[in-house]
Amino acid sequence: MISQEPTLAAHESLEIHEALNFKTLCLAKSKLMQGLVFDQELKDLMEKDVQQSIQAIADLQALYVKAPFQAPVPEFRPTPILN
């Protein structure tokens, strides 16, 4: 008996791909906006969002390997414009 890794259906793969795109965009926006914010409480909240987005992207990438078709997911993380 051959053991086969479960794969996602096409629509599930597309949903995960869309979620990855969305979370990547959210991560980039939060990282970039951190340089423009002066309120420390808001900066802390944005940093928390960045950390949660990084974790969500990692979780989605783990699911995405089960897709029957894939597009490459970039390995780099955006950095803020201003420190």
Side-chain angles (χ1 to χ4, degrees):
M1 189 164 126
I2 298 174
S3 175
Q4 188 179 36
E5 281 289 319
T7 59
L8 299 171
H11 71 282
E12 293 171 325
S13 301
L14 290 174
E15 292 288 334
I16 290 175
H17 184 75
E18 288 176 7
L20 267 169
N21 285 339
F22 178 72
K23 289 309 292 181
T24 302
L25 180 63
C26 291
L27 174 62
K29 187 174 181 180
S30 288
K31 288 293 278 184
L32 291 172
M33 294 302 289
Q34 281 180 347
L36 303 174
V37 173
F38 298 105
D39 181 69
Q40 189 59 45
E41 189 176 344
L42 182 55
K43 275 187 180 185
D44 293 343
L45 185 61
M46 293 173 86
E47 181 58 31
K48 182 178 178 181
D49 179 58
V50 166
Q51 296 306 317
Q52 289 175 339
S53 291
I54 289 171
Q55 182 60 51
I57 289 170
D59 293 344
L60 287 167
Q61 284 175 324
L63 287 174
Y64 196 58
V65 298
K66 296 179 182 179
F69 52 88
Q70 297 178 19
V73 178
E75 291 296 323
F76 62 90
R77 302 280 189 251
T79 55
I81 294 173
L82 304 171
N83 290 331

